[in-house]
Amino acid sequence: MTILELQSVEKKYSQAENFAVKDVSFKVTSGEILALVGESGSGKTTLLRLIAGLEHPDNGIIYLSGNKIVEGRKSVPSNQRKVGMVFQDYALFPHLTILENVKFGLPKNLPDPEKVAKDTLKLVGLSENFSKYPHQLSGGQQQRVALARAIAPQPSILLMDEPFSNLDAMLKDQVREEIRQIIKKTGVTAIFVTHDTRDALSTADRIAILHKGRLQQIDSPRNLYEKPVNAYVANFFGKRNEILATPTVDGFYTPFGFIADERSKQYSEKVRLLFRPEHATLYNEVGQVLNGSIFKVSYYGDHQIVKLADEDGKRVSIKTSPHLDLSNLTQVGFSLDYFEVEPAF
Ligand code: ADP
Ligand code: MG
């Protein structure tokens, strides 16, 4: 069931030269976690604020739970939208206890707001801290209070802007997993903004990627990573190698050797074979499918990146086990486990 639908939503700030959000359309399904990614200034925060009703679009339609909440410049006020929001800095009230913080967002007509607030704090794992103040809690705990405050009124959708960016790297993996589990347990539909591709890939059911206000692709983490629709999306999730190749009836000739592959039949002109560093397997001996000379080995503890060069000096990077012994070797072999084919020109 669709919870949120955007149709050609556009926003241009007054004075601004370009649209902050341009012709964005997508749907979010009930219970889904969607990550919104893109570099700084790509329009992520603006899009969240448009959904929340904190900004108003110039064009476009937004439906939430089947109700039209935005049509062009006409829109339902923010406080009538049933949207929960977690801000980057959590925006907790410093002079209220965490229980009061959570109670604050609840509708005034609830029979027992105290119980709802307590139950929600328990749900996020904070049952012993009801009377503490935000500054007495760790960053991860403060974030869970902000999350509890946002979900206590049972919003149709939960919006989170850069929820993990204030947490240090050690804490981040743990908090990310906790937040994901809480969201899944409540079944709330959620959109979170991040500029960190690891956060998005590991936490989201689907990812939407914005570039200059335009939606590039919305897809599962695996499809975005392995089947990017354009070079921008591909490079956003890490570098890809490119090998120039000539198609024959049964494969591709490359400067590193011949690869048998059915897809060659579809091409008559030169192509580019595209693959990520971890989509190749390196062998510490020659005589493999493909062979190259070692240009550089970089050791990172949990993996090594080996740069290989062909006869013309064109290079590719391959990720391999830290234990593969490459000492005293100048030539090595490799094979491609997965690659995409695109026309070269
Ligand atoms: P992101 O969250 O992806 O970093 P934003 O949505 O904050 O991107 O910004 C998108 C574009 O809109 C940027 O060019 C930014 O400078 C501009 N912008 C954001 N907020 C405002 C504002 N209140 N007034 C004018 N321009 C803004
Ligand atoms: Mg932002």
Side-chain angles (χ1 to χ4, degrees):
M1 196 179 75
T2 300
I3 284 286
L4 178 75
E5 178 171 0
L6 278 70
Q7 293 178 354
S8 301
V9 171
E10 309 200 310
K11 169 73 183 175
K12 190 168 167 176
Y13 291 102
S14 53
Q15 320 288 333
E17 213 167 289
N18 299 312
F19 278 87
V21 168
K22 179 78 183 161
D23 195 17
V24 168
S25 305
F26 63 85
K27 291 180 186 178
V28 185
T29 308
S30 177
E32 187 174 36
I33 301 180
L34 179 77
L36 198 55
V37 303
E39 58 200 290
S40 181
S42 58
K44 306 182 296 294
T45 295
T46 302
L47 197 53
L48 274 202
R49 293 175 63 84
L50 289 169
I51 297 166
L54 303 172
E55 294 289 351
H56 301 289
D58 299 299
N59 301 299
I61 296 175
I62 303 179
Y63 291 95
L64 183 61
S65 304
N67 303 313
K68 200 185 272 182
I69 56 166
V70 169
E71 182 166 16
R73 288 165 187 275
K74 285 186 297 199
S75 62
V76 173
S78 183
N79 58 7
Q80 290 168 27
R81 286 194 188 187
K82 296 200 78 181
V83 166
M85 187 117 187
V86 176
F87 297 92
Q88 191 168 359
D89 59 0
Y90 315 141
L92 297 174
F93 301 112
H95 303 300
L96 299 184
T97 65
I98 66 166
L99 184 63
E100 289 161 348
N101 262 281
V102 176
K103 264 166 73 178
F104 186 89
L106 290 170
K108 301 291 164 264
N109 57 357
L110 274 191
D112 193 352
E114 177 115 351
K115 181 172 187 309
V116 174
K118 281 183 175 168
D119 286 348
T120 315
L121 279 167
K122 279 182 200 152
L123 180 78
V124 303
L126 288 171
S127 42
E128 279 133 45
N129 300 309
F130 292 159
S131 56
K132 284 196 175 168
Y133 289 86
H135 73 268
Q136 295 174 296
L137 304 180
S138 70
Q141 289 173 323
Q142 288 181 33
Q143 189 185 42
R144 280 186 276 151
V145 177
L147 179 63
R149 187 176 63 183
I151 61 179
Q154 300 194 304
S156 302
I157 195 157
L158 172 70
L159 306 175
M160 297 180 283
D161 197 354
E162 302 271 5
F164 312 118
S165 65
N166 285 338
L167 303 167
D168 60 43
M170 293 273 282
L171 199 61
K172 200 161 124 165
D173 284 355
Q174 188 198 333
V175 172
R176 198 172 49 199
E177 188 48 36
E178 283 170 3
I179 299 282
R180 182 183 160 80
Q181 282 176 13
I182 293 165
I183 291 174
K184 284 296 175 192
K185 202 154 60 177
T186 59
V188 67
T189 311
I191 303 182
F192 74 100
V193 161
T194 179
H195 59 267
D196 185 325
T197 54
R198 268 169 43 90
D199 286 347
L201 291 168
S202 63
T203 311
D205 299 313
R206 283 193 307 155
I207 301 174
I209 175 165
L210 282 179
H211 176 49
K212 294 186 174 166
R214 287 180 182 272
L215 182 65
Q216 306 292 305
Q217 187 171 2
I218 177 164
D219 219 328
S220 67
R222 184 177 289 275
N223 277 350
L224 268 195
Y225 195 78
E226 294 184 355
K227 297 186 171 66
V229 295
N230 59 36
Y232 182 82
V233 175
N235 291 323
F236 190 81
F237 289 94
K239 280 275 167 258
R240 282 193 306 181
N241 292 298
E242 266 190 42
I243 302 180
L244 209 58
T246 308
T248 70
V249 284
D250 52 0
F252 299 100
Y253 273 111
T254 83
F256 295 96
F258 182 77
I259 306 171
D261 192 278
E262 286 283 309
R263 283 171 289 177
S264 65
K265 289 186 178 57
Q266 301 160 29
Y267 299 90
S268 52
E269 308 274 314
K270 282 208 165 190
V271 294
R272 290 178 300 157
L273 308 184
L274 300 157
F275 64 99
R276 295 195 185 277
E278 68 275 24
H279 290 155
T281 304
L282 193 74
Y283 307 93
N284 53 0
E285 55 191 20
V286 286
Q288 302 294 328
V289 178
L290 303 169
N291 297 285
S293 35
I294 295 182
F295 175 75
K296 189 177 176 198
V297 179
S298 307
Y299 177 77
Y300 291 96
D302 61 348
H303 70 277
Q304 310 182 77
I305 296 288
V306 182
K307 275 200 174 133
L308 299 182
D310 68 13
E311 285 166 3
D312 300 328
K314 186 119 184 19
R315 285 163 210 158
V316 294
S317 296
I318 295 175
K319 185 175 179 179
T320 189
S321 155
H323 304 299
L324 189 71
D325 182 7
L326 299 165
S327 49
N328 306 320
L329 290 176
T330 53
Q331 292 275 115
V332 290
F334 68 103
S335 59
L336 301 187
D337 310 320
Y338 177 85
F339 63 97
E340 290 201 80
V341 187
E342 282 182 7
F345 304 107

